[in-house]
Structures are given as C-alpha cells and as structure tokens.
Amino acid sequence: MIGPAEVRRIRALQQKKVRALTQRFLVQGRKVVVELLGSAVTTEAIYATADAAAWIRDAASARGVSVIEGLDHELAKIGTFESGNELVAVALAPAEPPFAAVAAKELILALDGIHDPRNMGGLLRIADWFGITRLVCSPDCMEIYNPKVVQSSMGSVFRVAVRYTPLVEELAAHQKAGAHVLLADMDGTPVYEAAFATPAVLVLGSESHGLSAAIRALGKGAEVISIPRVGKAESLNVAMAATALCAEFVRRQGRV
C-alpha cells in the first residue's frame, strides 16, 4: 500500500501551484513513463499496481528508481486518467533554460498565448519530430507540466527545452543577435514564396485569437508568413499550422 499521506502528497501534484512550489510533476501511462526513464529528466519514484510494477521494475531498477506498489483505488486517486491509472511517476522539473541566441541554422518556436493543453502537447511533439530543441512561450501559455500536456506530448516534453518569458523582449534580443523573426498569420506572404531565412524564430499565435497585438506591432522587424489555402476550410489549428511550416523549414534546410 502507498499510504494516505503519500497519496495526498502525490495527488496534490495535480494542482499547478503545488507543481510550481515543489518543482515536481506527474507522468502517467506505460508509454510515457518509459520515455521518462529513457530521458535526462530525473524520476523521483514510480507508483504502480502489482501488474504494472512487475512490467516496469527492471527498467526502473536500471535507472536506480524505486517502484512502489499500490492498490487500484490508491492509483485511481493519484492518477488523472478517467480509467486505467495503473502507473504514475513523479518527476523533477528541469531548471528553465536561460536566454541563448539562435544558432546558425536553428529554428526556435515561439508560442504566443497557447492555452489548450492538447495543442501545447502537440506542439512539443511537432518540435521534437522536426528536430527543434527549443520552445519559447509567453507567460500566459499553458504550463508544460499540466498532466494533459505531458500525456499529449508522448514523451517529447522530456526532450524539448521550454522557456517562459515576455515575448516582445525575447524576440528583440534574438533579432539583435541576428535571428529572423517569422510571424505565422493567415494574411502573410505564402511560406513557399517567403525568404524563411535562418537562423529564425517562428511565432505561432493562440487557437482563438491568433497573434497578440503586441506581437503584431513588431512591424518591419519581422516577416509575416502564411500557409496557402486552396480549399474552403476557415482555418487550421495551431498544431496543424506548425506542422506545415516546420516541414517547409526542414525542406529548405535540405534535411529530407
């Protein structure tokens, strides 16, 4: 058994304020816990039903991580899934990275007001898929250690460095260091016609409102790019747009 006090401690990590205070977060499910164990992120402990504990114990032992068995109802209390809470790990949040200028051929994604946790998790996966190792987020973006974000990222949250900071100042610093700033917007130059020069920071706006007024006001200091629309769909969500733009970046770099 896990015990009531331990159940309360772990369950509290479902709250953002507790995650921020303790610098810990939950990782759930067999696939994502295995990704955690294979990453550079520290695993504090794993809590599991008897069956799941037997399945994960060797991998956890190889990393020096304890596996604590619990009853089904205890795991149901500490996990956030509607059902199937058989495996829950507690991980230590890495320190947020400091500012660093974009490298010569690098692309960084900057997220402006992304609020949907599944979109945030999807954007982490997209960055990871295309070899983008850094995300910069406005302070009002969804927290990356929200359980829905962690799950939606399918392990990419452990491989992409994320920094929360006021975007206008951050983008100005990157421009000063020689980076191009690209603003994704429906009214921009079609990406296939745009320069899309590197190093670059690609800014993606919120699901509902697009780019904020402060980011739009960057004006001449940034290039506005779009994805050409051929059909009649009203819009693409931010993850779809990111996929198309990142694919074009990779193609331009000759990496495919």
Side-chain angles (χ1 to χ4, degrees):
M1 295 179 65
I2 300 173
E6 189 73 346
V7 167
R8 286 194 297 272
R9 184 185 74 84
I10 303 161
R11 188 175 186 177
L13 293 173
Q14 296 178 15
Q15 302 174 51
K16 180 180 179 179
K17 64 181 181 181
V18 177
R19 293 192 294 270
L21 181 65
T22 64
Q23 290 298 290
R24 285 162 171 76
F25 63 100
L26 300 176
V27 180
Q28 302 169 86
R30 297 193 180 198
K31 161 67 176 172
V32 188
V33 171
V34 167
E35 291 279 352
L36 170 64
L37 289 172
S39 76
V41 175
T42 300
T43 307
E44 183 176 74
I46 294 173
Y47 301 85
T49 61
D51 180 64
W55 180 82
I56 198 68
R57 186 167 281 113
D58 287 347
S61 178
R63 294 296 302 270
V65 177
S66 299
V67 178
I68 301 161
E69 286 190 33
L71 301 175
D72 288 356
H73 74 271
E74 292 169 335
L75 270 295
K77 288 180 179 178
I78 65 176
T80 64
F81 296 165
E82 290 185 8
S83 62
N85 290 287
E86 60 169 359
L87 192 61
V88 179
V90 175
L92 305 186
E96 189 170 282
F99 173 83
V102 188
K105 294 186 177 181
E106 186 182 12
L107 177 68
I108 290 177
L109 294 187
L111 308 181
D112 182 24
I114 303 301
H115 301 138
D116 184 273
R118 290 180 176 82
N119 276 343
M120 180 63 82
L123 288 162
L124 285 161
R125 289 178 72 181
I126 290 160
D128 194 18
W129 178 271
F130 287 106
I132 296 167
T133 60
R134 290 198 275 166
L135 258 66
V136 179
C137 299
S138 62
D140 60 337
C141 277
M142 171 60 63
E143 175 220 3
I144 59 168
Y145 298 124
N146 176 289
K148 290 181 179 178
V149 175
V150 175
Q151 192 63 29
S152 297
S153 82
M154 295 302 290
S156 294
V157 69
F158 311 133
R159 292 184 289 271
V160 178
V162 179
R163 171 178 162 83
Y164 286 80
T165 186
L167 280 189
V168 172
E169 292 86 345
E170 183 85 358
L171 295 174
H174 281 297
Q175 285 179 313
K176 187 175 181 180
H180 301 270
V181 172
L182 309 170
L183 308 181
D185 186 84
M186 290 178 65
D187 297 325
T189 302
V191 64
Y192 308 119
E193 302 171 13
F196 215 146
T198 57
V201 182
L202 172 61
V203 189
L204 298 153
S206 76
E207 302 86 348
S208 302
H209 307 294
L211 296 170
S212 64
I215 296 299
R216 290 179 184 278
L218 290 172
K220 294 181 180 179
E223 181 177 12
V224 184
I225 60 175
S226 67
I227 301 165
R229 177 170 58 182
V230 177
K232 296 182 179 181
E234 180 184 2
S235 63
L236 299 175
N237 72 27
V238 65
M240 293 175 181
T243 300
L245 294 171
C246 290
E248 175 63 7
F249 167 77
V250 168
R251 188 189 71 81
R252 295 275 187 104
Q253 293 293 301
R255 291 157 60 183
V256 292

